[in-house]
Amino acid sequence: MSLRKLVTEDGEIYTGKGFGADLRGWVSPPFELVFNSSTVGYQEILTDPSYTDQGVVFAYPLVGNTGINRDDGESGRFAPSAAIVREDCADPSNFRCEGTLGGVLARSGVPGISGIDTRRLVRSIRDRGSRRAVLADAEIPPEECVRLIRETPARHDQVSRVSPKEVSVVPAEGEERLTVAAVDCGMKENIVRSLCRLGCRVIRVPYDTTAEVIASFHPDGALFSNGPGDPEDVPETIGTARELLGQLPVFGICLGHQILALASGAKTYKMKFGHRGGNHPVKNLLTGKIGITSQNHSYAVDLSSVAGTGLSVTHINLLDGTAEGLACPEKRMFSVQFHPESAPGPEDSTALFDEFIRMMKS
């Protein structure tokens, strides 16, 4: 594969070997440059719709060593705009392997770059923050890449692009006990699997489904899922959440957590470089216990805006003190910024699904 380079909006250049989709003679559309610190789960990461319009830098040096299989995907597509790694394994070894990472990315139209100093790049993102970048053929002048980034407006339609267009139903595993209406803003499959294993029938609805339509399904509870982008870009979903609060039990995960906060009157803000990885310590303020969590988000709830909303802060991130959980018992609502379904990551928080089940049953 030909040489290519990663160029950031402030002029940093990283030259390496190309893999995945061919870039000879052209430049990728601009994307937000982010990093993930997980040591495992590259397939789950690359198929998470929350990475739409982002280029993922893998802090772990070797990626692709177990190949790609049909079971570990979190959606039906590879979501990021680019994959950026230190070393791409072209000869994977695993009994479930059905293809190489580079081969599958090529068929999916996702370009990658390997052989660059990802430690330097991760440190740059930590020091300077997330910023926009492109992948380009090595022959294209860097000035042209920077110009393209600066002249291309950032998109704000990520959720509408990854959310389903129609309602669908996923049956419970075994005996069906409850029905959950899941507002799919780019929902990971393991959220659905986690609910179905607990006896829930899941009705997946598009992000802009009204509260009236959701109520017509007579669900026992509603879930607002993870997804990409700025939560303020989906006022339709915020409005639906506002109408449902107090009408039935509501659970929010990641973007859903932010949407429920906005629906309750709190505010959100964009973080310097976000949280992405499977090793974030979170303290439960109700129990005093600490769990290691899986995270993937660029935005957070402004702690100073929670007062007077009826919400209480239930969890905080021990690395930077940001809000990781909210609750309003009067309205039978709670939410978390992290991912209790993991995939990839630790399973310290899976009991939150059981808590949602108990809330619906009561």
Side-chain angles (χ1 to χ4, degrees), residues 135-337:
L135 284 185
D137 185 292
E139 299 300 320
I140 295 176
E143 308 81 48
E144 183 176 333
C145 296
V146 172
R147 179 186 58 79
L148 174 66
I149 296 170
R150 294 177 177 174
E151 292 181 357
T152 305
R155 300 187 67 165
H156 296 273
D157 61 346
Q158 289 89 354
V159 169
S160 66
R161 285 154 51 205
V162 302
S163 180
K165 307 307 178 188
E166 298 179 350
V167 176
S168 63
V169 178
V170 184
E173 293 183 13
E175 181 184 356
E176 180 184 311
R177 296 188 291 272
L178 296 165
T179 296
V180 175
V183 181
D184 188 341
C185 298
M187 184 161 53
K188 293 174 65 180
E189 288 299 324
N190 210 39
I191 293 177
V192 179
R193 290 191 288 262
S194 297
L195 290 169
C196 291
R197 280 194 295 266
L198 293 172
C200 294
R201 178 176 68 124
V202 178
I203 303 176
R204 303 176 75 151
V205 303
Y207 79 101
D208 55 355
T209 305
T210 65
E212 182 181 9
V213 170
I214 290 173
S216 71
F217 299 127
H218 304 291
D220 298 289
L223 180 139
F224 287 81
S225 82
N226 66 292
D230 185 342
E232 294 187 2
D233 288 340
V234 284
E236 311 95 323
T237 319
I238 296 169
T240 295
R242 187 178 295 118
E243 290 187 48
L244 288 179
L245 286 174
Q247 303 303 310
L248 73 172
V250 177
F251 181 23
I253 296 174
C254 199
L255 180 71
H257 160 80
Q258 299 158 13
I259 287 170
L260 291 172
L262 291 169
S264 300
K267 297 179 180 179
T268 58
Y269 65 95
K270 188 169 187 180
M271 307 172 75
K272 183 177 180 180
F273 51 81
H275 294 160
R276 294 173 184 85
N279 57 352
H280 286 259
V282 168
K283 183 175 182 179
N284 185 327
L285 299 179
L286 304 177
T287 65
K289 293 182 178 180
I290 296 170
I292 305 302
T293 67
S294 176
Q295 306 211 3
N296 173 19
H297 58 102
S298 294
Y299 290 80
V301 175
D302 184 349
L303 276 170
S304 66
S305 71
V306 173
T309 62
L311 300 173
S312 59
V313 179
T314 58
H315 298 73
I316 59 167
N317 189 300
L318 292 181
L319 298 178
D320 59 9
T322 52
E324 291 280 357
L326 298 168
C328 182
E330 294 79 9
K331 293 185 177 180
R332 296 180 293 168
M333 162 269 179
F334 73 103
S335 63
V336 290
Q337 182 63 80

Side-chain angles (χ1 to χ4, degrees), residues 53 72-73 105 110 124 132 168 192 245 253 261 269:
D53 291 346
D72 292 344
L105 290 178
V110 178
S124 173
R132 300 178 80 202
S168 63
V192 179
L245 286 174
I253 296 174
Y269 65 95

Side-chain angles (χ1 to χ4, degrees), residues 10-215:
D10 53 357
E12 282 194 347
I13 303 171
Y14 298 80
T15 302
K17 296 179 292 184
F19 73 102
D22 194 357
L23 269 178
R24 281 175 291 188
W26 67 286
V27 184
S28 75
F31 50 78
E32 181 187 16
L33 194 61
V34 301
F35 71 88
N36 189 297
S37 60
S38 290
T39 59
V40 296
Y42 57 82
Q43 181 173 339
E44 292 93 331
I45 292 166
L46 289 169
T47 53
D48 181 349
S50 295
Y51 284 108
T52 299
D53 291 346
Q54 294 179 331
V56 182
V57 182
F58 286 87
Y60 191 71
L62 178 63
V63 177
N65 53 308
T66 58
I68 297 293
N69 63 73
R70 70 184 67 187
D71 299 321
D72 292 344
E74 287 299 311
S75 70
R77 56 183 284 270
F78 281 76
S81 298
I84 300 138
V85 305
R86 174 62 183 170
E87 182 181 353
D88 162 47
C89 179
D91 187 21
S93 176
N94 185 272
F95 73 98
R96 296 192 301 155
C97 176
E98 297 172 310
T100 66
L101 174 61
V104 175
L105 290 178
R107 292 192 293 275
S108 302
V110 178
I113 186 171
S114 66
I116 69 168
D117 188 345
T118 50
R119 291 179 300 177
R120 174 190 160 203
L121 180 53
V122 168
R123 180 166 292 182
S124 173
I125 296 171
R126 287 181 59 89
D127 291 343
R128 303 185 190 182
S130 298
R131 51 207 188 277
R132 300 178 80 202
V134 294
L135 284 185
D137 185 292
E139 299 300 320
I140 295 176
E143 308 81 48
E144 183 176 333
C145 296
V146 172
R147 179 186 58 79
L148 174 66
I149 296 170
R150 294 177 177 174
E151 292 181 357
T152 305
R155 300 187 67 165
H156 296 273
D157 61 346
Q158 289 89 354
V159 169
S160 66
R161 285 154 51 205
V162 302
S163 180
K165 307 307 178 188
E166 298 179 350
V167 176
S168 63
V169 178
V170 184
E173 293 183 13
E175 181 184 356
E176 180 184 311
R177 296 188 291 272
L178 296 165
T179 296
V180 175
V183 181
D184 188 341
C185 298
M187 184 161 53
K188 293 174 65 180
E189 288 299 324
N190 210 39
I191 293 177
V192 179
R193 290 191 288 262
S194 297
L195 290 169
C196 291
R197 280 194 295 266
L198 293 172
C200 294
R201 178 176 68 124
V202 178
I203 303 176
R204 303 176 75 151
V205 303
Y207 79 101
D208 55 355
T209 305
T210 65
E212 182 181 9
V213 170
I214 290 173

